[in-house]
Structures are given as structure tokens and as C-alpha cells.
Amino acid sequence: MDHFRQLRDEPTGAYSYLIGCGETGRALVIDPVVSQTPLYLSLLGELALTLEWVLETHLHADHISAADSLRAWTGARVAVGAHTGIADADRLLHDGDHLRCGSIELEVLATPGHTPGCVSYHWRGRLFTGDCLLIGSCGRTDEPGSNAATLYDSVVRRLFAFPDETLVYPGHCLNGRRVSSIGEERESNPLFLNVSRDSFASTPIVNDLPGIVPIALEANHHCGRLIRA
């Protein structure tokens, strides 16, 4: 049986996801937070898993990624979207790519807008959407390279094209909920319901997500490693 865990960083409300292959003992983690590194390592040991991949959905601005930390501790490789601007990754991912980890296979979807390099991951009827699509909301559009019209297209034309029953696992918790579905978001997300592309693009996105932390943004350009002269 494969392993799946949703983990939350309380200070930022950021979600990360651990998926492990029951056959091979290989695992991957999506959007890890550096302060939670001991938790990830403990969970890997508890489940007898070997971390093979660390995946990012985008260049995070509100917390420091654990990508470089986990790579140092476990020897895992780091994969990021090709247009994130993140240096030092081991693999750059493009729209339509597939990433394998044992019997686990994820499809990469380019979903830019919140940032230019946002990607989502599709696995067995689940979408890991990062900050592109949140439960009842979406990512901010005031980060470097944000484009509201592009974000609208990513959500409405790309993600909402999936079947209603597709589960949505977001990058942040805004209302205490952990999971939604494409059908629910299409039918009730107030930012997109009966909202035109032009109207969406001209309205600032207001939510309770943490703001930009400059030192996090700086470190995350290098997979979470702070480089100073």
C-alpha cells in the first residue's frame, strides 16, 4: 500500500505532502518547509521510506523551503518548474512532463499566474495546486511576476477542466479545511464563479495568506539555501 500524508506548518498555514511507494520504499515530498525538516525525517524513518525527490510548486515567498536541507540530509534530488527562477535544482520540469518515484507517477501541469513558474501535480485523481488554486480562493497577485489574467486562465481553463470528483490539495490553509474538489471549486469559489477574465484581472486578490518575506524569497532562489557574499 502506498503512503500519503498531508502535513501543515502552523505559523504559515502552508501544506506539504509526502507520498511513498509501498512497493519500493521510495518517496517524494511536495513543498516542504525548512522548520519542519525534523518532522519529515522522522516520518520517513517511521514509514521506512527513502526520500528520492523534493518537488516545488513554485518559488515560495512566505517561508523558506526545506528542499536544500532535505537534499543534504537524504541525498534526494530537487525538481522545480522550468520557469520558477530557482537555481541549483536537479531537474527542471515542463508542462506535460511525468515524474516517477517507484510505482508513483505524477503529471506536471504548468499553472502560472500567482508566479510565472507555478506548476501543479496530478496523481491518481488528486491535484496538488500549490498557491494557484486554494479552497475558496487563489494565490495572491502581488508577488514578483504575478499576472492575474494568466492565473485566471490556469484555474478556469486548465484546472477546472478536470472531472468534478478530482480532489484539490492546496498549498495553504485559509479556512481550516484540508481538501476540496474541482466540482466544488468550480461551483462555489467566489473568485471565479460567474466572474469574467477581465473582471478578475482588474480586482486585487485579497486573502489571509502570509505576505512576502524577503529573506525567504532570497533563500528560495537557491532551493532554500541562503547565499551571502
Side-chain angles (χ1 to χ4, degrees):
M1 178 184 294
D2 291 337
H3 304 278
F4 175 65
R5 298 288 190 278
Q6 183 185 44
L7 307 165
R8 181 181 176 186
D9 177 60
E10 290 298 331
T12 62
Y15 282 133
S16 53
Y17 300 91
L18 177 71
I19 305 174
C21 172
E23 285 181 41
T24 64
R26 299 176 183 176
L28 62 86
V29 64
I30 300 172
D31 287 345
V33 179
V34 72
S35 60
Q36 300 298 323
T37 299
L39 172 62
Y40 307 134
L41 295 174
S42 175
L43 190 55
L44 288 165
E46 177 185 325
L47 298 174
L49 296 172
T50 299
L51 190 63
E52 188 169 77
W53 287 103
V54 179
L55 310 181
E56 299 283 19
T57 57
H58 64 292
L59 176 67
H60 303 281
D62 59 342
H63 65 263
I64 296 178
S65 167
D68 193 67
S69 172
L70 287 171
R71 179 166 55 185
W73 277 100
T74 68
R77 291 172 287 174
V78 177
V80 304
H83 304 292
T84 57
I86 298 174
D88 309 324
D90 300 289
R91 179 175 173 183
L92 298 180
L93 301 170
H94 297 82
D95 185 51
D97 281 354
H98 289 256
L99 187 142
R100 292 178 175 82
C101 180
S103 63
I104 298 163
E105 182 175 347
L106 283 74
E107 179 186 6
V108 180
L109 309 170
T111 50
H114 170 60
T115 73
C118 284
V119 296
S120 298
Y121 299 104
H122 182 225
W123 175 64
R124 297 182 188 172
R126 300 173 175 91
L127 282 168
F128 302 94
T129 56
D131 290 6
C132 176
L133 177 61
L134 304 173
I135 299 176
S137 188
C138 69
R140 304 163 65 111
T141 53
D142 61 352
E143 296 196 7
S146 293
N147 186 301
T150 301
L151 177 57
Y152 182 93
D153 290 341
S154 291
V155 173
V156 173
R157 299 181 182 178
R158 196 75 194 272
L159 298 180
F160 283 0
F162 279 83
D164 286 357
E165 62 271 18
T166 306
L167 298 177
V168 174
Y169 286 93
H172 275 278
C173 171
L174 291 175
N175 51 19
R177 292 186 56 192
R178 290 178 170 269
V179 62
S180 181
S181 70
I182 287 297
E184 179 179 350
E185 295 306 312
R186 190 192 298 115
E187 295 171 8
S188 65
N189 191 312
L191 297 183
F192 300 98
L193 183 63
N194 299 321
V195 175
S196 70
R197 185 177 189 267
D198 288 344
S199 176
F200 181 90
S202 62
T203 305
I205 303 301
V206 178
N207 55 37
D208 294 328
L209 288 179
I212 295 173
V213 179
I215 196 169
L217 197 57
E218 181 180 348
N220 290 340
H221 274 101
H222 298 276
C223 298
R225 180 161 50 97
L226 192 61
I227 297 177
R228 293 292 179 98

